[in-house]
Amino acid sequence: MPHFQREQGRCVAINPRASLPLSLLALLATGEVLGDDLFDNSQAMPEVLTATRLKQSPAAVPGSVTVLDSALIKASGARSLPELLRLVPGMLVVPQSGNLTTVNYHGSSANQARRMQVLVDGRSVYRAGFAQVDWNDIPVAIEDIERIEVFRGPNTVSYGANALMAVINVLTRAPRDSHGTRLKHTRGQRGINDWYASHGQGWENGDMRLSLSGLQDDGFDQRDEDNDFRDSKRLNRLNLSISQELDATQSLEWQLALKEGTNQVDNRYEPIFPVAAQPWEQDRDSDVRARDFASSLRWNLDFNPEHSLYVQTNLQQWERLREWRACEGQLAFSPQLGQLWALSPRYTNRLSQHLEAGNFTPPTGTPEQMTLATQVLQQAYSTLDPTTRTLTHSCGLINEDARESRFDFEVQDTLSLSENLRLVSGLSYRHDRADSEVYLNGKLSRDTWSLFSQFEWHINQHWLLQGGAMVEDASTTSPSLSPRLALNYLITPAHGLRAVYSEAVRTPDMFENHADWRYRVRDLKPTLAGQSEADYFATAAGPGNLEQEVMRSRELGYNGHFSNIGLHLDIKLFYDEIDNLISEPLKVYQFMPTNGNRLRLKGAETELNWQMGMRDRLRLGYAYIDYDASHRIDRRLTPRNSGSAGWLRDWGHNWSSALFYYGADQLNEYRFERLDLRVAKRFSVADSTLELAAVMQQRLDDEPLSWEANNYQQRHLLYFSAELEF
């Protein structure tokens, strides 16, 4: 039955079945029912920093921001950063294997997540050489994270190229809030064996936190019915954070992060030419050893409450070390075959098919192609075993090591020109370097200068105008300008409507644009004409003239905080256009990246966070995406509907629980639904606190996880943790 409510002297019927967002907007519009809340500024408003580099209330932000706080992070039971990001509307988590994950916002390619900026305490962990974020290898433990801010939309104006579709900023606990000792151990099915230990202490005007952690599991069970999936991961991390106040206006912050680990990788190389190699002659595994280093130093200077400045420098290095042995017909090292491949990979594939069928007649082609093909066929015939009809083969080592390093320097100035006008501006320089014998044939580097500025102008009590731009000049591309303009109407400081237009770019990475992909095979046995080294015939080269991808984004939205009922609501409508899109798969047998693709995205997102009294918290997130993509790969990943729901409950007597649902109707063409339950109990022992927790994950679908090979023997996962604080 409907109930009635008086509004401006008349009665109106309220349908209890109406959607919650519409009901809330209706209540907001009446003003009388929630008037005390709407105009009550007595409670401190939450603030976010990632959107504009200025501290702002969510209602004043020029875009949509998701905040995952420490309570939500702990309640989720997540062991890795990608699992946490399932709580963000429109964020798609796509495991490619047990130790390699792709995270995209609003889709595009499932293989490469090249269009998001990822920060840890403001330090970018995006690898510019190969356009990658190693999500499972980011050297920060879940237990050290205080909050995660996700700006859902383009933000090149604040963080430069590669912040094309979203920005994820992971903020760790401040050393001053980390005093004491914490120990935690997690064990469970699928080889889960995690540990964490941290200690924090303070001294006069200074604080420190040191944490050590490890993570290990077995990955997926099997690729198919007969073959195990070698995709386990093992890593260890060290994080040191120190803060020191120099005087009343100055402070220093220093961070150090180290990580080492091993990711299993199958060597599934299959010879192109028929050979009689024995199985033991070729490695069936080719694990990747990962070693990362990062250090940052930041000097903060507060001239006065209206003017502050900081100078920050970062130094990082990534190493991915991999060496493996493979066998191939000696014909694969023929210089003539390499010349033929350079002329036409398609014709070379046809020649390979002729050889596989035992046909020693060259396929029809140009005179130059057929001349080279005849020479190759003569070489093949001379090494053919007439009994087995296979070619003489050689086995050798391939070094696939890749190293990247970065030096980053940034100066930022924040100034309040008046009570109504704030300005943030800055300058940054970044030097990126990549080194790979296989993918780059040596070393490449790129220097990038950036100049940015943004303003926030409160025209009056209700209207807020924001704008800014970043000019970026990289040594490998032409300069770019990324502007943004936003108009917010603040119904109250806690409730705002927004209209945003922004442009963003993504600079092609070194590998896309300047690849020199070739395999030098060493320690060949048997040797080739007495030589123990040779080059594999298949090579690839980057075009060298790729332009920046360009995005134009339009957004309408509402953000409101109903403090008297503990409800926070965000609604977003968007229309995004990406041109000059680089979508082609980057494979040595098909390396043809171009700027000839486009992507159109439109839809709606909503996020609701409701603290229902002292014991219950409800969290909902939903995204609807309608897309039009010119390349089939960009159509594989994006789901029409995706979302999450969470219920956190404090049962009293130190018992708590959290129930989460995650779902997407298409995750790389596979449906995904999962239910997570965490139950925890806290005990007080002398001056210590012990928490015991159990997490169960239950898949509700019956499909592989994003790829055909990603399978578990059981649809559920159970693991337990014990955490001691003293």
Side-chain angles (χ1 to χ4, degrees):
M1 294 289 293
H3 66 274
F4 293 86
Q5 176 178 297
R6 182 168 297 277
E7 176 183 312
Q8 297 180 351
R10 60 189 180 91
C11 291
V12 295
I14 303 297
N15 185 354
R17 296 183 180 179
S19 67
L20 181 60
L22 292 178
S23 300
L24 291 172
L25 288 176
L27 290 171
L28 184 105
T30 65
E32 184 175 335
V33 177
L34 294 177
D36 292 339
D37 166 60
L38 293 180
F39 296 97
D40 181 8
N41 298 325
S42 60
Q43 296 189 11
M45 292 294 298
E47 291 183 319
V48 295
L49 178 64
T50 304
T52 63
R53 295 176 177 249
L54 293 167
K55 290 184 178 180
Q56 297 177 299
S57 69
V61 169
S64 299
V65 178
T66 293
V67 177
L68 307 180
D69 57 69
S70 57
L72 185 65
I73 292 171
K74 187 168 189 176
S76 71
R79 300 173 51 243
S80 66
L81 183 58
E83 286 298 311
L84 284 174
L85 296 176
R86 294 188 189 277
L87 291 165
V88 180
M91 198 68 69
L92 308 172
V93 179
V94 185
Q96 298 192 51
S97 66
N99 53 48
L100 181 62
T101 301
T102 299
V103 180
N104 282 278
Y105 180 65
H106 285 180
S108 70
S109 172
N111 289 307
Q112 291 94 15
R114 300 180 287 206
R115 300 176 178 92
M116 287 197 307
Q117 182 61 273
V118 183
L119 311 168
V120 176
D121 291 325
R123 168 177 54 85
S124 172
V125 295
Y126 180 94
R127 295 169 52 192
F130 297 95
Q132 293 179 346
V133 175
D134 286 338
W135 292 96
N136 292 316
D137 283 339
I138 293 176
V140 59
I142 291 291
E143 292 79 7
D144 281 337
I145 298 175
E146 176 64 27
R147 60 196 267 130
I148 301 173
E149 294 184 0
V150 182
F151 186 87
R152 304 183 341 253
N155 205 354
T156 302
V157 63
S158 296
Y159 299 100
N162 305 118
L164 187 78
M165 300 187 76
V167 176
I168 298 172
N169 194 5
V170 179
L171 303 170
T172 61
R173 290 182 297 128
R176 66 176 177 273
D177 301 325
S178 307
H179 291 185
T181 301
R182 297 172 67 195
L183 303 173
K184 183 179 179 181
H185 191 207
T186 303
R187 291 294 298 269
Q189 296 174 312
R190 300 175 187 164
I192 292 176
N193 187 9
D194 306 340
W195 61 276
Y196 171 82
S198 74
H199 178 73
Q201 66 181 48
W203 55 86
E204 185 178 0
N205 299 325
D207 300 276
M208 170 277 276
R209 183 192 74 242
L210 172 65
S211 67
L212 304 171
S213 59
L215 186 145
Q216 180 175 327
D217 62 51
D218 292 339
F220 291 102
D221 292 326
Q222 57 191 53
R223 283 185 179 272
D224 48 48
E225 295 180 357
D226 301 322
N227 297 311
D228 290 337
F229 201 160
R230 295 190 71 262
D231 63 341
S232 71
K233 60 177 175 285
R234 179 201 59 81
L235 60 90
N236 297 303
R237 298 167 293 212
L238 179 148
N239 289 88
L240 177 62
S241 181
I242 298 175
S243 62
Q244 179 69 49
E245 291 186 7
L246 303 178
D247 56 35
T249 62
Q250 300 181 76
S251 65
L252 289 177
E253 300 174 13
W254 180 63
Q255 292 189 357
L256 173 69
L258 303 174
K259 193 225 71 181
E260 69 84 24
T262 302
N263 296 326
Q264 286 187 338
V265 180
D266 273 337
N267 178 7
R268 300 182 65 83
Y269 178 79
E270 297 293 339
I272 299 298
F273 301 105
V275 299
Q278 299 297 321
W280 54 265
E281 293 184 279
Q282 178 165 297
D283 293 339
R284 296 314 302 173
D285 59 78
S286 51
D287 298 346
V288 175
R289 290 177 294 138
R291 299 187 302 194
D292 294 343
F293 163 85
S295 180
S296 66
L297 179 64
R298 175 166 166 163
W299 172 53
N300 302 294
L301 175 60
D302 296 323
F303 296 102
N304 53 57
E306 287 75 37
H307 190 194
S308 63
L309 177 143
Y310 77 71
V311 179
Q312 179 170 297
T313 182
N314 303 312
L315 182 63
Q316 300 182 76
Q317 180 170 306
W318 299 270
E319 286 187 348
R320 297 297 178 267
L321 309 178
R322 184 188 185 200
E323 188 175 66
W324 47 286
R325 178 175 292 274
C327 299
E328 182 56 87
Q330 292 184 351
L331 183 65
F333 306 106
S334 163
Q336 289 76 22
L337 185 62
Q339 296 175 37
L340 187 62
W341 174 266
L343 283 175
S344 174
R346 181 174 297 180
Y347 182 86
T348 308
N349 288 331
R350 289 167 55 198
L351 178 63
S352 175
Q353 294 169 4
H354 273 227
L355 278 172
E356 189 174 356
N359 183 354
F360 284 82
T361 303
T364 303
T366 66
E368 186 177 7
Q369 290 172 348
M370 295 185 68
T371 299
L372 287 170
T374 300
Q375 297 175 16
V376 171
L377 290 172
Q378 290 173 352
Q379 295 169 1
Y381 191 79
S382 67
T383 63
L384 182 68
D385 186 325
T387 303
T388 62
R389 304 299 293 177
T390 59
L391 301 176
T392 302
H393 71 276
S394 288
C395 300
L397 289 174
I398 298 173
N399 185 322
E400 225 172 347
D401 293 354
R403 294 176 174 86
E404 292 184 66
S405 62
R406 170 179 298 153
F407 171 77
D408 199 343
F409 176 83
E410 182 176 271
V411 180
Q412 177 179 305
D413 182 84
T414 305
L415 178 63
S416 295
L417 298 174
S418 68
E419 292 185 359
N420 299 323
L421 182 61
R422 290 196 297 169
L423 179 70
V424 58
S425 55
L427 172 71
S428 70
Y429 164 76
R430 187 176 73 244
H431 176 76
D432 290 299
R433 183 170 181 170
D435 181 1
S436 172
E437 177 184 83
V438 169
Y439 300 108
L440 302 174
N441 195 25
K443 300 177 181 179
L444 285 178
S445 63
R446 181 166 70 195
D447 296 294
T448 305
W449 288 91
S450 302
L451 180 66
F452 59 89
S453 183
Q454 296 186 72
F455 71 87
E456 178 194 75
W457 178 28
H458 286 265
I459 301 173
N460 56 37
Q461 180 182 0
H462 296 290
W463 290 102
L464 172 62
L465 181 65
Q466 300 179 78
M470 174 173 282
V471 178
E472 199 163 40
D473 187 10
S475 58
T476 56
T477 56
S478 56
S480 62
L481 173 67
S482 300
R484 177 170 63 198
L485 187 65
L487 183 63
N488 293 56
Y489 179 75
L490 300 178
I491 305 168
T492 74
H495 298 269
L497 303 172
R498 62 182 180 268
V500 186
Y501 174 80
S502 60
E503 296 182 3
V505 299
R506 184 185 78 86
T507 302
D509 63 81
M510 301 179 198
F511 178 57
E512 286 173 298
N513 215 2
H514 302 287
D516 189 353
W517 195 346
R518 59 188 66 242
Y519 289 96
R520 163 68 55 157
V521 185
R522 294 182 171 86
D523 192 29
L524 282 170
K525 297 179 181 178
T527 61
L528 288 173
Q531 300 295 318
S532 61
E533 296 184 6
D535 286 332
Y536 188 63
F537 77 94
T539 61
N545 60 353
L546 290 174
E547 299 177 359
Q548 291 177 322
E549 297 177 340
V550 179
M551 182 175 185
R552 296 173 179 84
S553 176
R554 302 147 182 97
E555 177 181 334
L556 297 175
Y558 160 78
N559 187 286
H561 180 64
F562 301 84
S563 61
N564 67 335
I565 58 174
L567 178 66
H568 193 114
L569 176 67
D570 186 87
I571 300 173
K572 169 183 176 178
L573 305 175
F574 61 89
Y575 179 70
D576 298 334
E577 301 174 287
I578 307 178
D579 294 308
N580 292 346
L581 192 65
I582 304 170
S583 301
E584 293 81 5
L586 304 180
K587 300 178 180 179
V588 69
Y589 294 107
Q590 189 183 8
F591 196 91
M592 295 180 291
T594 71
N595 290 113
N597 304 287
R598 60 172 180 79
L599 180 63
R600 303 290 184 266
L601 299 162
K602 61 181 179 180
E605 292 176 357
T606 184
E607 188 175 54
L608 179 149
N609 190 58
W610 193 356
Q611 187 67 49
M612 300 182 292
M614 297 295 293
R615 295 187 179 275
D616 294 283
R617 178 179 176 183
L618 181 66
R619 183 180 179 87
L620 303 174
Y622 171 74
Y624 171 79
I625 306 173
D626 187 16
Y627 56 90
D628 177 21
S630 62
H631 199 284
R632 59 177 180 81
I633 287 181
D634 293 321
R635 295 192 293 266
R636 286 180 58 89
L637 180 61
T638 307
R640 296 281 183 181
N641 302 277
S642 62
S644 65
W647 172 40
L648 285 63
R649 169 73 175 175
D650 181 354
W651 297 93
H653 305 288
N654 294 324
W655 282 94
S656 63
S657 68
L659 182 66
F660 291 91
Y661 166 83
Y662 307 98
D665 58 7
Q666 174 181 293
L667 206 59
N668 200 31
E669 298 187 337
Y670 291 100
R671 184 172 60 90
F672 171 74
E673 287 187 277
R674 197 181 79 196
L675 199 64
D676 291 8
L677 173 65
R678 181 180 185 268
V679 179
K681 167 70 173 177
R682 294 177 67 88
F683 302 89
S684 295
V685 183
D687 294 330
S688 305
T689 301
L690 173 66
E691 182 183 73
L692 302 178
V695 176
M696 187 187 73
Q697 297 179 352
Q698 178 66 51
R699 290 285 297 279
L700 304 180
D701 60 79
D702 57 355
E703 301 194 31
L705 186 51
S706 70
W707 295 93
E708 184 179 4
N710 294 350
N711 296 287
Y712 292 115
Q713 292 178 350
Q714 296 179 322
R715 310 302 290 178
H716 65 269
L717 171 65
L718 184 65
Y719 54 94
F720 302 88
S721 67
E723 182 174 3
L724 181 65
E725 296 185 44
F726 56 93

